[in-house]
Amino acid sequence: MPQPRSKRPSEPSEATWSLRLLGPAHLESSGIALEPLERKTAALLAYLALEGPTPRSKIAGLLWPEVDEGRARGNLRQCLHRLKRLCGEDLVVSEEILRLVGDLETDVVGLEAQAFTGEYGPALRLEGELLFGHDYDDCPELAEWLEASHERLRGVRLEAMQAQGKALEAAGDYSRALGWAERALAQEPVSEEAHRWTMRLHYLLGDRAGALRAYHRCREVLERELGIAPMAETQALARLIDRGGELPGAAQPKRAAIPLSVLRPPCLVGREHEWAALEAAWERG
């Protein structure tokens, strides 16, 4: 395991540190990755990175809820000492209010900050789940915070996928836009907005049957997961597609395609028995 050399208190640090929280949590020194962090050290750094300066007593209670405050604070001191020994310097300013040192780069913080300004590249490039491989069932409040952070990160990534796909749709590049719509749907399977988006893009590509299959998939997922029917807006889109109507506000396709009148043969909607019979006949050849 790479170990940055220890330094005297007066000696300036030569290491450049980065904290990676997406996937197995670890520190990197000047581009060299250390072994994955122990789970409570990882949680300590993740909480300070995402929540900012936090009272020592709160951190201790989050990480060691099963013991009294005195023992929890003692455990926290040991955790900070091990981290300093690992790095050869302090990455956490160890006062009554704990905070990360100002120059510590963190992947998920950078991702959220850039997405806030409308730069979604990092959200599309950076893979991995926050604190992957660690569970905190013995720390209920921390586990609840981590789940909320997962939801927040999923929201950022979903927004990034939608922004990328909508830009491609606006440019008439429906095929690539559909790829992002499908990724967004995989991220949020019960999102009717994502289902309508895939329906719309299939239809704009001339795949009327695919658009109606997307509607049936939406209906099945909502019934199975939530016990509800699609909203009126979703049903209205399905009826418009079934009639072969024009979608309002659609951009021109990026490339000339086969006329929609050719690619949109008559299609059944709302007649599940006949639909199933046709698909079975097709598969039998």
Side-chain angles (χ1 to χ4, degrees):
M1 174 175 68
Q3 289 280 359
R5 64 185 179 84
S6 298
K7 62 185 183 66
R8 295 185 296 275
S10 59
E11 182 183 0
S13 172
E14 297 177 0
T16 300
W17 290 98
S18 299
L19 175 60
R20 303 302 176 214
L21 297 173
L22 299 174
H26 65 277
L27 287 160
E28 294 180 1
S29 172
S30 301
I32 301 174
L34 278 65
E35 289 182 1
L37 292 165
E38 182 272 331
R39 73 183 185 107
K40 291 198 174 179
T41 304
L44 164 67
L45 294 174
Y47 195 90
L48 292 177
L50 291 170
E51 298 300 323
T54 304
R56 181 182 287 262
S57 58
K58 180 174 179 61
I59 290 288
L62 282 171
L63 294 173
W64 292 279
E66 75 284 1
V67 301
D68 61 51
E69 183 177 351
R71 288 183 60 191
R73 290 172 74 99
N75 291 341
L76 177 57
R77 283 194 298 272
Q78 292 179 29
C79 180
L80 291 169
H81 178 71
R82 288 194 299 270
L83 178 62
K84 182 176 181 179
R85 188 171 58 190
L86 172 69
C87 303
E89 60 183 294
D90 284 317
L91 297 185
V92 176
V93 178
S94 184
E95 299 173 347
E96 194 55 36
I97 300 294
L98 298 179
R99 60 181 174 83
L100 299 180
V101 295
D103 59 350
L104 180 61
E105 176 199 335
T106 309
D107 54 358
V108 69
V109 173
L111 180 155
E112 289 190 323
Q114 288 183 282
F116 182 76
T117 65
E119 172 52 61
Y120 291 109
L124 299 175
R125 290 194 305 271
L126 294 175
E127 301 288 341
E129 182 180 289
L130 182 65
L131 296 184
F132 175 79
H134 293 312
D135 72 73
Y136 298 92
D137 292 343
D138 56 335
C139 307
E141 189 177 347
L142 180 63
E144 185 177 332
W145 170 82
L146 183 57
E147 180 56 34
S149 298
H150 285 160
E151 286 295 325
R152 187 170 77 187
L153 183 57
R154 279 194 289 269
V156 170
R157 284 175 164 160
L158 181 61
E159 187 177 339
M161 293 173 192
Q162 290 172 335
Q164 183 80 357
K166 294 294 185 182
L168 290 167
E169 180 182 350
D173 193 346
Y174 300 141
S175 181
R176 291 175 61 201
L178 180 59
W180 287 108
E182 292 287 0
R183 286 183 63 177
L185 193 56
Q187 177 98 357
E188 201 66 39
V190 296
S191 168
E192 280 200 60
E193 181 183 359
H195 282 286
R196 286 194 298 271
W197 192 19
T198 58
M199 291 166 61
R200 174 186 176 89
L201 288 169
H202 274 294
Y203 189 53
L204 289 171
L205 283 165
D207 184 7
R208 185 184 181 200
L212 291 172
R213 281 196 298 271
Y215 170 70
H216 287 290
R217 176 176 61 174
C218 170
R219 191 175 63 184
E220 291 166 3
V221 168
L222 293 177
E223 172 62 32
R224 182 177 66 248
E225 300 297 329
L226 303 177
I228 62 174
M231 293 189 299
E233 182 181 355
T234 308
Q235 295 183 42
L237 177 59
R239 288 193 295 270
L240 183 148
I241 290 171
D242 186 46
R243 294 196 309 267
E246 293 296 324
L247 293 175
Q252 291 299 314
K254 190 173 183 180
R255 293 189 178 92
I258 298 173
L260 293 179
S261 60
V262 175
L263 289 172
R264 294 175 183 166
C267 189
L268 296 174
V269 61
R271 300 178 65 186
E272 286 74 14
H273 176 74
E274 291 81 356
W275 184 281
L278 284 172
E279 288 189 335
W282 175 269
E283 290 178 1
R284 289 196 303 270

